[in-house]
Amino acid sequence: MTAPAPLHDDWTLRIDDLWRRAPDLTGSQLVDEVDALAAERPDGDARALFERACARDTAGLEAEAEQLYRAALETGRLDPYRRTRAVIQLGSTLRWLKRLDESEALLVGELAHHMQPGHDRPLHDEARAILALTYAAQGRGNEAAGLALAVLAPRLSRYNRSTLACAKQLAGEVWDDGAVVAPGTPSVELIEGRFVLRPYRPADLPDFVAAVRESHASIGRWMKWAHAAFSVAEGAEWLDHCARGWQSGTSYEFGIFDRETGEFVGGGGLNSLHAVHPFCNLGYWVRSSWQGQGAASSAVRALSRHAFRKLQLMRVEIVVADGNEPSLAVARKSGAHYEGLLRNRIRGVDGKPWDAHLFSMVPT
């Protein structure tokens, strides 16, 4: 079978930009603009079919969306993330078309597929949530509630196990083996070009540790924690710190992953949120084997959007050590405004105060 087309070409970036503008378009305008972009692709192109289906879904043209979702899936050339999206959205479309048994069968099949060994389960909770809606439409309220509770249970601060046990009593099968989402881990994904940013999961630990060890010579010059002997225990402590930050709302750390392969690329986050004024710091790092491929600047764009749109912050700062030319280039490329060189702004890896450059971004 031919491999899926790459996800980071100019066409995909233009599609992503169109979807960012979608809330300001009418349904017919969205369909027309997506169709115009799709016409640039070869006949039967999986991505074009998928995007045309999404446009019609958004515009309320469910019958047309169904045929295009099916055509995209039948090509066998959607990447894993888009393939799962197509299945979930087709299941939702079938629900709107009142073909509830078909919707249920499609989503149950997808969830069963997710539970196979080695499957990374993209959008697993999203699939369960849409199936819960199908159950509700079928009049199966107990099963709908049970499945919804199963999705909610890992995110509670307490009573996780008892809530999940009650969910299983209501729904029977909830497709949860305790390994999909760690307690307290939010379901957030930021898409920018060829990269996806999401909160860390316990399963990311080996790749995270390997990336730090691989990159100690490049990023270790600027980040004290990135040393050659970086241990699994240190990695686990960092992931635990990130989870606590999400739970408390004091920091929002993301892993950066390749959308096509799922490979771990680096990290970025929003931290040092001011207690009074609505601003924070934005940081990023990229493993050595991925440097120079746009991951850091993509992360800056995605994280700043999240800061302004979701967190409602009014300012994001990027602080870069004097001499760290790669990070300075990222800040400039991302469109951040340069505000100057600050004396003794940060503590360096040698424990001494270092000068640092300050950049800022604001919603406008």
Side-chain angles (χ1 to χ4, degrees), residues 261-313:
T261 65
E263 182 178 354
F264 178 72
V265 174
L270 303 167
N271 47 57
S272 299
L273 277 76
H274 198 279
V276 177
H277 304 295
F279 76 91
C280 73
N281 176 73
L282 188 157
Y284 46 85
W285 67 276
V286 176
R287 68 188 305 173
S288 295
S289 56
W290 275 87
Q291 290 172 8
Q293 300 186 54
S297 56
S298 293
V300 171
R301 290 192 293 271
L303 290 168
S304 58
R305 279 201 309 274
H306 187 70
F308 299 139
R309 296 180 183 179
K310 182 66 175 179
L311 304 182
Q312 297 295 298
L313 300 181

Side-chain angles (χ1 to χ4, degrees), residues 49-258:
L49 291 166
F50 173 72
E51 298 295 348
R52 292 181 65 211
C54 292
R56 283 155 176 80
D57 210 346
T58 303
L61 304 173
E62 285 85 6
E64 294 181 29
E66 178 199 354
Q67 300 306 315
L68 289 165
Y69 281 136
R70 292 191 186 280
L73 289 166
E74 287 170 2
T75 67
R77 298 194 64 203
L78 288 174
D79 60 276
Y81 181 78
R82 279 196 183 90
R83 193 204 70 81
T84 301
R85 280 187 61 195
V87 172
I88 292 172
Q89 290 166 208
L90 176 55
S92 179
T93 295
L94 291 170
R95 186 184 76 252
W96 283 108
L97 292 171
K98 309 299 183 184
R99 290 154 60 184
L100 302 179
D101 290 346
E102 292 179 60
S103 174
E104 178 189 359
L106 184 72
L107 294 166
V108 166
E110 180 67 12
L111 289 168
H113 178 60
H114 285 194
M115 301 306 290
Q116 294 176 4
H119 197 282
D120 62 1
R121 303 171 189 174
L123 302 175
H124 183 76
D125 284 345
E126 289 78 358
R128 293 198 291 174
I130 298 301
L131 178 57
L133 290 173
T134 296
Y135 282 160
Q138 291 172 322
R140 297 158 64 182
N142 283 352
E143 289 168 277
L147 193 51
L149 284 172
V151 176
L152 175 65
R155 292 161 177 77
L156 301 177
S157 60
R158 300 190 66 175
Y159 315 118
N160 311 86
R161 293 180 181 177
S162 59
T163 301
L164 182 59
C166 292
K168 290 180 177 179
Q169 289 178 349
L170 290 169
E173 176 58 82
V174 294
W175 297 277
D176 191 319
D177 60 5
V180 177
V181 179
T185 302
S187 179
V188 179
E189 286 190 336
L190 311 179
I191 304 295
E192 181 66 30
R194 69 181 294 188
F195 302 103
V196 57
L197 285 73
R198 62 163 174 77
Y200 292 102
R201 301 168 182 165
D204 298 326
L205 180 59
D207 290 338
F208 179 82
V209 172
V212 175
R213 291 175 179 172
E214 167 195 312
S215 312
H216 72 91
S218 59
I219 65 174
R221 296 175 57 195
W222 313 107
M223 301 176 181
K224 187 174 182 180
W225 53 267
H227 55 89
F230 188 81
S231 67
V232 172
E234 288 174 296
E237 183 178 354
W238 169 248
L239 265 59
D240 184 59
H241 168 79
C242 294
R244 291 197 304 271
W246 277 95
Q247 292 170 7
S248 63
T250 55
S251 64
Y252 304 91
E253 299 293 339
F254 293 79
I256 308 170
F257 301 84
D258 180 73

